[in-house]
């Protein structure tokens, strides 16, 4: 176009200027961390309930909160891996079973060497993850079906390796992970290794998702796979990576679980852990269709689940009711989120 | 034309305003339609056409003070059901059919025929066979809708409207996805509906269509009513002037690169995919804008995707800068400097939820990265800011998700993403589809600058005036092969007639095959 309209300036219309940019940045911050608010409200409510019912505010005590963090750790690790997969638009149903298989491997090898045991457990998780990834990426099977298959198969492998009995090792070389603390300030501040590991996993995931090219590609593949391909992104490799991460983190979860128990049972370990992991991701606001979400949301989601379980136990609510309340809170929190976001997202 | 009948209009909309937050999407707009007329509604994207029609269809509730009168009766339309009952049918650009259902089920959607508690498929099929026949459809009511072409699906939509006894039929950009032949067929249909007494509101960007079809033309601009032309007053230049508020007579004009060396950059020989592309050959040269014309279905996009490595060729050669290449993936093509702008920017171009900045940088994040891995945010922000100002992308900031932009601005984002890779060969597939006139002009300006900068550009377009207006040479494709060329050394002038003759394969003036 060589006409005069070619010189028009970009400021022609639309809102702009520093105020609106700041407002939208603030809004983005609130959006990304809205579940933190839910978490805080939930914590305060549970504390009040504790005071009213039991007469003392045990919930918000330092001791109890560190227990909550410890109880969150394994689910947070699994949910981090799940976040990668769900961001690509997939799902990984197999993490609970992979956790069991990896824990069994860890315990079986633990009699020889602790380092080797941990490494092989992680490798076991990675192997299952890569199988999932390869089937999704290159054979192009639906993730739900592939990982449903692995859920069953990995459980079988776990039982096979343990000869369908519980494997014990009272002198588990990596047991410190489950029982010891990392001392930050001697005599004052120390944190459970489980929490440290979960924290490192979260930070690592955040770095990959937000600070690396691969992270952008993960969001791209989840947001629009065919656009990703046309833009020259190796979609298959990205998917393989996401499922690989989920597998390796499930393996790590297996190590953590084994370290707590000094034992692994192929049949029972990690049963339905995948559901808690998925719930954490969804509570964290990550879109089920892929492409939208954050690792912080997942952390909040995992914390909400742990806080709820812990608080209800403190209140003496029966196991049966805990299930019901947890289910309702998960649906309610997500519904609230959708309601709040309605109309503000793209039309 | 004496088309202002004495009888009252079937539709009258008065003082229609609609505000979203603080912005006026519509501001005191008036619109009337008579039975048996085709009334075109024109305006740039964002001018308020769709909003006005959504008010009519009950998707939006207008601000208080507006009146809608249908067949003399003032009515309040607060939901789509009421609109349908009042005889308003809207056919949206993205057709609203359930593709998994049969044609008959779609036509009866929401008004299924039943026998007792059971659905009565036989009666439904028989019931719409009539309508389909009247519309000249050659598919059965039992056909699953997903198996129909876009044109056929449109007929299903029209059938649904007629079946619902619509008096007012709104068609929003109905020809966007149609080939020329299908478009002609549609025009016959529209004329038939008009003579049957329907009031047809026709929304289109395409001046040629409007000029050919419309009895009256109303123009909106920035949510306000500009005016209505009727009969002999309907004049393309006048309409454009009303739409943009400025003169665009030099709209398509661009100067070819003077003294271009015309060295061949890309040569495609006998390329086939075994399905839609069947031995296609063409050359694209430096500093030249080559058009690729042809009817929809001629295999143009398929050819482009073969060149780009998005699909694998069954046979044929691609020579780039004198060297034979074969791209197994788009990634390889991009690395060799060949990029492709998809015709479907929402479907396989943009990441609608991702920010404008990230969309612009998507293909260069990798090259810009630190140690091949970490994102270089500073550089990305800079690229985004540069692109936004260079391409005059109208957006509040680079963090805005691209889905919130108008079609024209989305297209500019996608185009700037490709250009960040500094391509040698640029393949643009329908670069101005669904783009308003202002953005169109800017896209032409960008293309022109690229050609002058020595990029070899191949433009696929179904809009003949565009092809004729901007291309230095045009290759015409039919049934999977290049059947001829106009412009350049072919000795034939670039004209709509010459291109069309090649595209449909008629013998024109005894010279073409």
């Amino acid at each position: 176009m060589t006409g005069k309209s070619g010189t028009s300036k970009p400021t022609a219309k639309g809102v702009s200027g520093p105020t609106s940019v700041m407002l939208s940045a603030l809004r983005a911050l609130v959006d990304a961390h809205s579940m933190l608010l839910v978490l805080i409200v939930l914590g305060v409510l549970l504390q009040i309930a504790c005071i009213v019912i039991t007469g003392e505010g045990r919930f918000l005590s330092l001791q109890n909160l560190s227990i909550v963090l410890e109880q969150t750790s394994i689910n947070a690790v699994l949910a981090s891996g799940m976040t990668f997969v769900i961001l690509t638009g997939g799902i990984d149903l197999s993490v609970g079973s992979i956790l069991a298989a990896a824990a069994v491997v860890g315990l079986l090898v633990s009699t020889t060497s602790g380092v080797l045991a941990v490494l092989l457990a992680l490798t076991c998780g990675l192997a299952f993850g890569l199988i999932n990834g390869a089937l999704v990426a290159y054979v192009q099977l639906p993730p739900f079906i592939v990982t449903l298959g692995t859920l069953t198969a990995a459980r079988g492998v776990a039982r096979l390796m343990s000869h369908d009995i519980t494997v014990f090792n009272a002198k588990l070389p990596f047991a410190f992970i489950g029982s010891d603390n990392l001392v930050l300030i001697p005599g004052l501040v120390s944190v459970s290794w489980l929490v440290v590991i979960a924290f490192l996993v979260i930070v690592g995931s955040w770095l990959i998702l937000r600070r690396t090219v691969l992270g952008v590609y993960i969001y791209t593949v989840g947001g629009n796979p065919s656009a990703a391909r046309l833009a020259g992104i190796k979609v298959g490799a990205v998917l393989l990576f996401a499922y690989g991460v989920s597998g390796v983190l499930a393996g790590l979860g297996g190590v953590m679980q084994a370290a707590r128990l000094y034992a692994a049972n192929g049949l029972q370990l990690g049963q339905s852990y995948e559901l808690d992991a998925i719930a954490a991701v969804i509570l964290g606001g990550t879109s089920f269709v892929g492409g939208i979400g954050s690792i912080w949301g997942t952390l909040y989601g995992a914390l909400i689940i742990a806080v709820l379980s812990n608080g209800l136990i403190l209140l003496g609510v029966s196991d049966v009711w805990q299930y019901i309340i947890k289910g309702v809170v998960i649906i309610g929190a997500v519904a609230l989120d959708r309601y709040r976001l309605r109309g503000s997202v793209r039309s | 034309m004496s088309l202002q009948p004495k009888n009252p209009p079937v539709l009258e909309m008065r003082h229609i305003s609609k505000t979203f937050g603080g912005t006026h999407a519509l501001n005191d707009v008036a619109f009337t339609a008579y039975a048996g007329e085709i009334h075109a509604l024109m305006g740039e994207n964002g001018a308020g056409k769709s909003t006005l029609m959504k008010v009519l269809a009950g998707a939006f509730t207008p601000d208080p003070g507006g009146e809608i009168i249908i067949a003399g009766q003032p009515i309040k339309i607060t939901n789509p059901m009421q609109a349908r009952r009042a005889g308003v049918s809207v056919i949206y650009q993205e057709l609203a059919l359930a593709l998994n259902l049969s044609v008959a089920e779609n036509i009866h959607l929401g008004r299924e025929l039943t026998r007792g508690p059971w659905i009565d498929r036989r009666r439904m099929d028989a019931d719409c066979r009539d309508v389909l026949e009247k519309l000249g459809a050659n598919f059965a009511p039992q056909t699953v809708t997903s198996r129909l072409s876009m044109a056929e699906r449109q007929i299903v939509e029209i059938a649904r409207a007629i079946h619902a006894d619509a008096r007012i039929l709104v068609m929003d950009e109905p020809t966007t996805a149609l080939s020329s032949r299908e478009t002609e067929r549609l025009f016959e249909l529209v004329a038939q509906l008009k003579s049957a007494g329907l009031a047809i509101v026709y929304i289109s960007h395409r001046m040629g269509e409007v000029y050919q079809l419309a009895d009256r033309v109303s123009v909106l601009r920035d949510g306000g009513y500009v005016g209505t032309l009727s009969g002999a007053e309907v004049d393309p230049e006048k309409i454009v002037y009303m739409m943009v508020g400025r003169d665009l007579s030099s709209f398509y004009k661009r100067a070819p690169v003077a003294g271009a060396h015309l060295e061949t950059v890309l040569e495609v020989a006998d390329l086939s995919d075994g399905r839609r592309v069947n031995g296609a050959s063409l050359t694209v040269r430096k500093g030249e804008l080559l058009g690729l014309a042809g009817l929809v279905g001629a295999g143009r996009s398929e050819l482009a995707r073969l060149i780009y490595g998005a699909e694998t060729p069954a046979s044929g050669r691609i020579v780039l800068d004198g060297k034979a290449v074969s791209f197994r993936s788009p990634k390889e093509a991009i690395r060799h400097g060949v990029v492709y702008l998809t015709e479907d920017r929402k479907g396989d171009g943009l990441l609608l939820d991702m920010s404008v900045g990230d969309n612009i940088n998507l293909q260069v994040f990798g090259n810009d990265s630190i140690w091949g891995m970490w994102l270089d945010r500073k550089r990305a922000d800079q690229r985004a800011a540069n692109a936004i100002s260079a391409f005059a992308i109208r957006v509040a900031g680079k963090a805005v998700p691209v889905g919130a932009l108008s079609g024209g601005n989305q297209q500019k984002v996608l185009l700037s993403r490709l250009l960040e890779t500094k391509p040698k060969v640029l393949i643009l597939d329908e670069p101005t589809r669904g783009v308003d006139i202002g953005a169109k002009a800017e896209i032409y300006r960008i293309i022109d600058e690229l050609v002058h900068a020595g990029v070899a550009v191949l433009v696929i377009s179904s809009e003949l005036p565009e092809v004729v207006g901007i291309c230095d040479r045009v290759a015409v494709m039919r049934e999977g092969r290049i059947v001829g060329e106009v412009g350049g050394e072919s000795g034939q002038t670039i004209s709509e007639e010459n291109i069309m003759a090649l595209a449909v394969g008629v013998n024109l003036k005894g010279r073409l095959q």
Side-chain angles (χ1 to χ4, degrees), chain A residues 39-117:
Chain A
L39 181 63
I40 292 169
V41 170
L42 197 64
V44 171
L45 285 180
L46 283 170
Q47 172 75 348
I48 292 170
C50 262
I51 295 172
V52 170
I53 294 170
T54 66
E56 52 180 326
R58 275 189 302 165
F59 178 76
L60 283 184
S61 69
L62 211 57
Q63 190 201 358
N64 186 53
L65 287 184
S66 68
I67 291 172
V68 169
L69 284 183
E70 226 180 288
Q71 286 169 339
T72 313
S73 58
I74 291 178
N75 188 31
V77 168
L78 296 184
S80 296
M82 191 69 73
T83 307
F84 281 83
V85 171
I86 292 183
L87 277 176
T88 66
I91 186 94
D92 189 350
L93 299 174
S94 63
V95 291
S97 299
I98 295 179
L99 179 143
V104 168
V105 166
L107 267 152
L108 289 175
V109 183
S110 67
T111 48
T112 58
S113 148
V115 177
L116 192 67

Side-chain angles (χ1 to χ4, degrees), chain A residues 35 37-43 45-46 276 278-280 282-285 300-312 315 317 320-338:
Chain A
M35 276 300 159
L37 210 68
V38 172
L39 181 63
I40 292 169
V41 170
L42 197 64
L45 285 180
L46 283 170
D276 272 352
I278 293 169
I282 297 306
L283 272 176
Y300 304 144
L303 284 169
I304 287 173
I305 292 172
V307 160
L308 205 57
S309 304
N310 173 279
L312 292 176
L315 291 174
V317 176
V320 180
W321 277 101
Q322 281 181 38
Y323 271 95
I324 296 171
I325 293 172
K326 244 165 89 175
V328 169
V329 167
I330 288 171
I331 295 173
V334 174
L336 197 74
D337 203 40
R338 290 288 139 85

Side-chain angles (χ1 to χ4, degrees), chain B residues 402-416:
Chain B
V402 105
L405 270 57
S406 72
N409 285 308
Q410 289 185 358
Q411 190 73 328
K412 285 192 264 178
V413 169
L414 188 54
L415 190 56
S416 63

Side-chain angles (χ1 to χ4, degrees), chain A residues 15-195:
Chain A
V15 279
S16 59
T19 0
S20 72
V21 170
M22 262 171 60
L23 268 177
S24 70
L26 188 70
R27 182 180 199 128
L29 198 71
V30 172
D31 281 351
H33 298 274
S34 63
M35 276 300 159
L36 180 59
L37 210 68
V38 172
L39 181 63
I40 292 169
V41 170
L42 197 64
V44 171
L45 285 180
L46 283 170
Q47 172 75 348
I48 292 170
C50 262
I51 295 172
V52 170
I53 294 170
T54 66
E56 52 180 326
R58 275 189 302 165
F59 178 76
L60 283 184
S61 69
L62 211 57
Q63 190 201 358
N64 186 53
L65 287 184
S66 68
I67 291 172
V68 169
L69 284 183
E70 226 180 288
Q71 286 169 339
T72 313
S73 58
I74 291 178
N75 188 31
V77 168
L78 296 184
S80 296
M82 191 69 73
T83 307
F84 281 83
V85 171
I86 292 183
L87 277 176
T88 66
I91 186 94
D92 189 350
L93 299 174
S94 63
V95 291
S97 299
I98 295 179
L99 179 143
V104 168
V105 166
L107 267 152
L108 289 175
V109 183
S110 67
T111 48
T112 58
S113 148
V115 177
L116 192 67
V118 171
L119 282 180
L120 283 180
L122 295 182
T123 310
C124 168
L126 178 65
F128 277 115
L130 291 179
I131 291 172
N132 282 337
L135 289 172
V136 171
Y138 301 115
V139 191
Q140 285 166 13
L141 300 176
F144 190 96
I145 292 167
V146 168
T147 59
L148 185 64
T150 326
L151 167 116
T152 313
R155 177 69 59 195
V157 169
R159 292 175 64 181
L160 186 72
M161 288 189 299
S162 62
H163 301 288
D164 220 0
I165 53 164
T166 304
V167 193
F168 284 105
N169 184 354
K171 292 186 202 139
L172 192 69
F174 55 87
F176 74 93
I177 292 175
S179 47
D180 288 2
N181 290 341
L182 172 68
V183 180
L184 294 173
I185 305 170
L188 266 179
V189 185
S190 62
V191 188
S192 156
W193 277 106
L194 292 172
V195 177

